[in-house]
Amino acid sequence: MHALDALQLWQLNLGTLAMVVLFAALTHRNQWWARAAFGLVTGLLLINYVIWRFRATLPDVHSGFAALWSYTFLFFEMLAITYTLVSIVVMLVRTDHTTKADAGEGRLRSAGPHVPGVDVFICTYNEGLDVLEKTIIAAQAMDYPNFNVWVLDDTRRDWLRDYCAERGVYYARRDNNDHAKAGNLNNGLRQSEASTNAPYILVLDADFAPQQPILMRTLGLFEDPKVALVQTPQFYYNPDPIQHNLGSSTCWVDEQRVFFDVFQPAKDGWDAAFCVGTSFVVRRDRINEIGGFPTGSVCEDIYTTYRLLQRGYITRWLNERLSIGLSAEGLTEYINQRGRWCLGTIQVALLPDGPLRGRGYTLNDRLHYVHGLLHWFSKPFILMMLVSPLLYWYFRIAGFYAKPMDFLAFGMPALIAFWGYGTWVTDRRTLPIFTEVTQIVASLAVTATLLSALIRPFGRPFKVTAKGLDRSQTMVHWKLFGFFFFLTLFAQIGAFTAIATADIFDGNVQFNLCWTVVALVYNVATLVACVDRPRLHGEERFPFLKPAGLHLSGRMFAGRLTDISLSGASFACEFSALIRPGLRGTVWVNKVGRVPVEVKRQTGDGRLGLQFVDLDEPLRQRLIGRLFSDANTNVAGRAKPGIAFSSLLRRSLIGEKRPPLLSYARRARQLRTERRRRPMPGFKTVNLRLPEGPAPRVSATRGEFWTLLLAPLRALFGMRL
């Protein structure tokens, strides 16, 4: 029982909140003492909460199923808290190898063409050419003088073999699919050893396009003889299903950003960073020393790191954006991917040469692997949190027994500190509700994987995450949606019935009412996430704020490209209202040249939607190289809480948000308003100096044709339309 009155409880929680806000405002997460101090306060509040949980919230052990549920709930809650406490310790250390990478790049560039050779392995199973060509062309565009590209095809496709011959890259296949990706990589090792035999190997998944400097930035880190593998983070050029379905791709980060941007640099400080399967460089002699890429787990990447650790070699983490890839596009693929990672982590732990059973590992190696296991084993806790209100309302079985005032004294300060610390230390890569929803969506699959792994952890087929499928239609994941819908519905019915029939509200009823409201918020957000919204653009768009000129019938309209994809671009100019859909011409694209386009639409915000048409193959390949080997960031890297929450609320209640008017839109509106009121201004040119070349023929309707003829004169004299 707490010994504080209501006023003191409010003072305690507001004081905790004030401390969190002030600490976040006055310190920086890069300061070691700040991470230590904030982490210490958060850890102490969590430990205080744990002590209260054991002392005052558990039923009698002889209470039958009620005791079983309560103690099971406590067990998984303690796993989650233990994971958090260990994470606080892990994040005390963090590294930044930018300076070493700079020095290494300097040495490589001074060597000219006399640099170590690299074999680039592009692993593919069933991806289409629309996915593969981006990786292959981007790989060929890397800024490095000595490398060979190998496409490792595990589905034995003749058309891909012919395409590789046309592109001038090596092609390798095998007669079977034994050991899945690890087997495919080992086949690449054998075949490349007989010809190119480069001392370093860059491994890429089929959908990960390397950025031009990736080899220049990574190879210098091998100057340290204990480094066997250099891993770079995964960045995605499309929003994952959670971001997309919640309408938050511009204001909320993908789920893995915390792992790549926060945990891996921290683990690297402990020499415990690990391989993540793509966009890494490994020494051929070191991988041969452990017998090739290890088999036995569906996660050959983390197993590779730990087999190297057995020999005293470490994985170095270079936290730079050196590749971009395609995230899981649908919720089914997203969930299956997490289930596979969970299973693979358990498999590696159980293998004879794994970090828990094998010899040659340090205590540091083993503890960090246990930390990774805790991440997966704590997942059922959040699912149990959502189920617990139903058990209370219908069977009077609670996850734990407490009064709201007690929770305000012990639980709420810990929760405030935990949320504040997480948001601060991850630099806004975690956010209440959003972070939990990403865990809730996959919690059923992960829980099922954990249960099945206890019975049969091995012998399951490797499932490749499908990429590049048609996503133009709305898809409701009815099983998942139905589960959370009925969870929400019955919880609310149970709570309403309890309120309507209860004579008095004791502390447990009040506490579970609050719990039900919190669960309702999470469930509603999860329901929104369970509906795969259509992805209207076949190709993902990149920001591309470059001056450009739109050429139509020998005339040019000056403006800017605002975004671009392989299929089209958005062009903004003051005279967009003059240019009607259906017209054809060219647009100048920086570092690509003149690209034939057709005006598809006026977007109503001062921009034109342009579709690329009649691209010849060399021009298309230059466009791919421009977009994917030197890509701009097009998905949020840190959260914008205000926009994220308003977007979620809007998506939950009233549907899609209409995009705000840009400055070009406001300008276009002003032009229309002043059309007949303003006198003709003085002469104003709109010419932009660009490389000359013949303009494509313009096609349009009769009315659009006259508009087109008048457009250059109006543009020339600066008329307000």
Side-chain angles (χ1 to χ4, degrees):
M1 180 66 66
H2 69 91
L4 304 176
D5 59 27
L7 178 60
Q8 290 172 323
L9 288 174
W10 279 106
Q11 291 173 340
L12 172 64
N13 286 281
L14 289 176
T16 304
L17 179 60
M19 178 202 68
V20 167
V21 172
L22 288 174
F23 204 94
L26 300 177
T27 63
H28 195 278
R29 69 189 188 97
N30 289 335
Q31 299 169 316
W32 184 90
W33 70 266
R35 294 197 303 275
F38 205 163
L40 177 62
V41 171
T42 302
L44 289 176
L45 288 173
L46 285 170
I47 292 171
N48 185 53
Y49 167 77
V50 168
I51 294 172
W52 170 70
R53 282 283 281 122
F54 276 95
R55 285 183 175 179
T57 66
L58 297 173
D60 186 87
V61 293
H62 303 294
S63 302
F65 181 77
L68 177 63
W69 171 257
S70 186
Y71 279 91
T72 303
F73 188 95
L74 176 69
F75 172 75
F76 284 101
E77 184 182 12
M78 291 304 106
L79 288 181
I81 291 176
T82 302
Y83 174 72
T84 301
L85 293 174
V86 175
S87 297
I88 290 173
V89 176
V90 169
M91 287 188 287
L92 288 176
V93 181
R94 61 196 313 269
T95 58
D96 182 357
H97 296 292
T98 300
T99 302
K100 293 181 180 178
D102 290 342
E105 181 177 0
R107 291 193 300 271
L108 290 170
R109 293 197 183 279
S110 64
H114 307 292
V115 294
V118 180
D119 284 335
V120 182
F121 287 179
I122 300 175
C123 305
T124 174
Y125 180 72
N126 58 4
E127 296 82 7
L129 184 59
D130 59 325
V131 173
L132 271 168
E133 65 177 346
K134 298 166 186 172
T135 304
I136 295 172
I137 293 172
Q140 290 184 299
M142 289 189 299
D143 179 18
Y144 194 77
N146 185 13
F147 65 90
N148 305 283
V149 177
W150 286 78
V151 175
L152 310 182
D153 180 18
D154 233 13
T155 37
R156 298 166 286 281
R157 293 163 288 183
D158 291 341
W159 64 262
L160 181 54
R161 177 196 59 200
D162 297 339
Y163 176 80
C164 290
E166 293 175 5
R167 293 296 309 169
V169 302
Y170 291 90
Y171 173 83
R173 65 167 62 171
R174 55 184 178 141
D175 296 331
N176 56 63
N177 299 105
D178 292 348
H179 305 301
K181 183 180 176 182
N184 192 18
L185 286 168
N186 288 329
N187 180 61
L189 278 175
R190 289 189 294 269
Q191 294 202 31
S192 63
E193 186 175 3
S195 53
T196 53
N197 197 30
Y200 295 96
I201 299 166
L202 168 63
V203 176
L204 299 167
D205 280 350
D207 56 321
F208 265 85
Q211 302 301 276
Q212 291 177 3
I214 185 170
L215 294 178
M216 283 291 183
R217 300 298 295 168
T218 54
L219 288 185
L221 298 183
F222 288 99
E223 188 78 8
D224 184 348
K226 71 177 181 180
V227 174
L229 188 150
V230 175
Q231 177 68 67
T232 67
Q234 296 179 15
F235 284 86
Y236 304 105
Y237 60 83
N238 66 313
D240 70 24
I242 307 299
Q243 290 175 289
H244 182 69
N245 296 343
L246 295 182
S248 57
S249 60
T250 60
C251 54
W252 170 239
V253 303
D254 67 84
E255 180 225 3
Q256 295 184 74
R257 288 270 58 83
V258 172
F259 171 71
F260 290 131
D261 298 346
V262 181
F263 273 115
Q264 282 281 53
K267 285 182 172 291
D268 185 77
W270 298 88
D271 283 344
F274 55 84
C275 176
V276 296
T278 183
S279 310
F280 68 88
V281 181
V282 64
R283 288 179 52 167
R284 183 185 290 267
D285 58 350
R286 300 302 186 223
I287 203 70
N288 285 336
E289 188 176 333
I290 62 172
F293 290 92
T295 59
S297 169
V298 296
C299 288
E300 84 296 329
D301 43 15
I302 190 171
Y303 195 18
T304 297
T305 284
Y306 277 89
R307 288 300 308 279
L308 290 169
L309 280 171
Q310 271 188 305
R311 302 296 182 99
Y313 305 127
I314 65 171
T315 294
R316 182 60 71 219
W317 182 262
L318 179 60
N319 197 31
E320 296 181 7
R321 187 174 182 267
L322 295 171
S323 68
I324 58 167
L326 192 60
S327 175
E329 300 166 284
L331 201 61
T332 299
E333 294 75 24
Y334 178 92
I335 292 171
N336 290 341
Q337 194 177 60
R338 272 66 185 169
R340 185 177 74 244
W341 294 343
C342 173
L343 177 62
T345 305
I346 295 172
Q347 287 177 338
V348 172
L350 298 176
L351 289 168
D353 286 324
L356 298 190
R357 298 177 57 194
R359 296 182 177 181
Y361 296 105
T362 66
L363 179 61
N364 180 70
D365 300 336
R366 300 181 196 273
L367 289 177
H368 276 275
Y369 201 85
V370 170
H371 177 240
L373 285 172
L374 285 172
H375 168 77
W376 296 111
F377 277 95
S378 62
K379 293 296 183 184
F381 170 62
I382 196 164
L383 184 62
M384 297 175 75
M385 285 184 62
L386 301 180
V387 173
S388 191
L390 270 75
L391 294 178
Y392 182 80
W393 297 125
Y394 292 98
F395 304 104
R396 288 298 184 267
I397 297 173
F400 60 88
Y401 299 85
K403 298 177 181 179
M405 301 295 280
D406 294 329
F407 188 81
L408 285 174
F410 298 97
M412 188 55 68
L415 195 59
I416 292 171
F418 168 71
W419 277 341
Y421 171 79
T423 303
W424 174 81
V425 80
T426 64
D427 197 17
R428 300 202 312 274
R429 290 175 178 85
T430 64
L431 202 61
I433 298 179
F434 286 85
T435 299
E436 284 80 12
V437 166
T438 60
Q439 299 177 37
I440 292 169
V441 167
S443 60
L444 276 173
V446 171
T447 301
T449 299
L450 291 171
L451 292 173
S452 62
L454 296 176
I455 303 171
R456 188 168 68 95
F458 297 100
R460 305 184 187 199
F462 183 92
K463 294 182 179 180
V464 176
T465 304
K467 302 286 181 69
L469 302 180
D470 179 21
R471 308 290 179 182
S472 60
Q473 302 297 321
T474 298
M475 181 177 179
V476 181
H477 297 270
W478 287 111
K479 291 182 179 179
L480 202 61
F481 186 92
F483 175 81
F484 289 106
F485 176 78
F486 286 110
L487 207 62
T488 306
L489 178 64
F490 287 120
Q492 305 315 305
I493 292 174
F496 178 80
T497 302
I499 294 173
T501 58
D503 296 327
I504 59 172
F505 295 124
D506 62 20
N508 285 320
V509 172
Q510 296 172 15
F511 179 76
N512 279 278
L513 280 174
C514 297
W515 194 334
T516 302
V517 172
V518 173
L520 173 64
V521 174
Y522 286 138
N523 282 328
V524 169
T526 304
L527 288 174
V528 175
C530 287
V531 180
D532 274 342
R533 308 281 176 169
R535 297 183 185 249
L536 300 180
H537 297 294
E539 294 285 351
E540 295 295 330
R541 300 205 163 204
F542 296 93
F544 199 80
L545 301 177
K546 300 289 184 182
L550 178 62
H551 293 254
L552 297 170
S553 189
R555 298 291 181 176
M556 188 277 296
F557 295 91
R560 291 176 70 86
L561 292 174
T562 58
D563 61 57
I564 191 170
S565 72
L566 285 182
S567 57
S570 290
F571 177 78
C573 73
E574 289 187 322
F575 306 100
S576 61
L578 294 171
I579 305 171
R580 303 299 178 187
L583 304 179
R584 288 200 171 195
T586 63
V587 67
W588 177 260
V589 178
N590 176 261
K591 297 183 181 180
V592 176
R594 287 190 174 187
V595 181
V597 296
E598 178 180 339
V599 179
K600 297 300 292 185
R601 64 189 178 277
Q602 293 176 329
T603 62
D605 58 0
R607 294 184 296 173
L608 299 172
L610 306 179
Q611 179 180 346
F612 298 146
V613 294
D614 302 328
L615 298 183
D616 57 41
E617 191 58 26
L619 180 60
R620 186 171 184 277
Q621 290 177 9
R622 289 205 306 274
L623 187 60
I624 291 174
R626 176 70 178 91
L627 296 186
F628 289 90
S629 68
D630 187 20
N632 293 321
T633 302
N634 63 333
V635 180
R638 56 176 52 86
K640 302 173 183 176
I643 300 175
F645 284 118
S646 63
S647 176
L648 173 59
L649 184 63
R650 187 181 300 108
R651 179 64 65 92
S652 302
L653 300 178
I654 59 176
E656 303 290 341
K657 173 186 177 182
R658 183 177 179 180
L661 288 175
L662 302 177
S663 58
Y664 287 107
R666 292 191 293 271
R667 183 61 174 157
R669 184 171 57 190
Q670 292 172 0
L671 289 174
R672 289 193 297 269
T673 302
E674 300 172 359
R675 180 174 183 175
R676 295 181 181 178
R677 294 186 302 176
R678 292 178 62 92
M680 181 183 298
F683 177 89
K684 177 182 178 181
T685 182
V686 295
N687 287 331
L688 180 69
R689 186 176 298 277
L690 292 171
E692 297 297 327
R697 186 174 181 177
V698 177
S699 60
T701 63
R702 180 176 297 178
E704 293 167 342
F705 181 75
W706 285 109
T707 300
L708 178 66
L709 287 180
L710 292 174
L713 293 175
R714 290 173 173 169
L716 181 64
F717 291 101
M719 291 185 64
R720 307 298 185 185
L721 304 178

